[in-house]
């Protein structure tokens, strides 16, 4: 894992982001010795409900009618 000083990270942000993309995460150490992690966010972090839509070619009225029918049963 790559560790950058705060001043290096400020000067070379593109390099920090590229390293995080390539390696998964990068640490940045400030003057007080505290460390921070820059981590690539993977697609797995997305909601499982974030799925592409499907065009069924139905109108809003047809969808509403199908819902009404299913509730009558």
């Amino acid at each position: 894992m790559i560790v950058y000083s705060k001043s290096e990270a400020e000067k070379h942000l593109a390099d920090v982001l590229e390293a995080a993309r390539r390696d998964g995460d990068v640490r940045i150490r400030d003057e007080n010795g505290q460390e921070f992690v820059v981590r690539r966010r993977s697609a797995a972090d997305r909601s499982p409900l974030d799925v592409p839509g499907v065009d069924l070619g139905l109108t809003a009225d047809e969808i509403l009618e199908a819902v009404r029918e299913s509730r009558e049963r």
Side-chain angles (χ1 to χ4, degrees), residues 2 5 8-9 13 15 25-26 28 31 36 38 41-42 47 51 53 55 57 66 68 71 73:
I2 299 175
S5 69
E8 287 175 326
L13 179 59
D15 294 335
D25 56 5
V26 174
I28 299 173
E31 303 84 20
F36 302 87
V38 176
R41 183 172 177 199
S42 68
S47 168
V51 296
D55 184 8
R68 283 188 195 103
R71 288 181 178 174
R73 295 180 193 162

Side-chain angles (χ1 to χ4, degrees), residues 20-33:
R21 184 196 64 74
R22 183 184 63 241
D23 301 332
D25 56 5
V26 174
R27 292 182 188 241
I28 299 173
R29 184 176 296 133
D30 71 5
E31 303 84 20
N32 299 323

Side-chain angles (χ1 to χ4, degrees), residues 60-61 63-73:
D61 288 336
I63 294 170
L64 291 173
E65 181 60 29
V67 170
R68 283 188 195 103
E69 287 178 14
S70 70
R71 288 181 178 174
E72 288 176 358
R73 295 180 193 162

Side-chain angles (χ1 to χ4, degrees), residues 50-63:
D50 187 12
V51 296
V54 177
D55 184 8
L56 299 176
L58 298 173
T59 66
D61 288 336
E62 291 170 324
I63 294 170

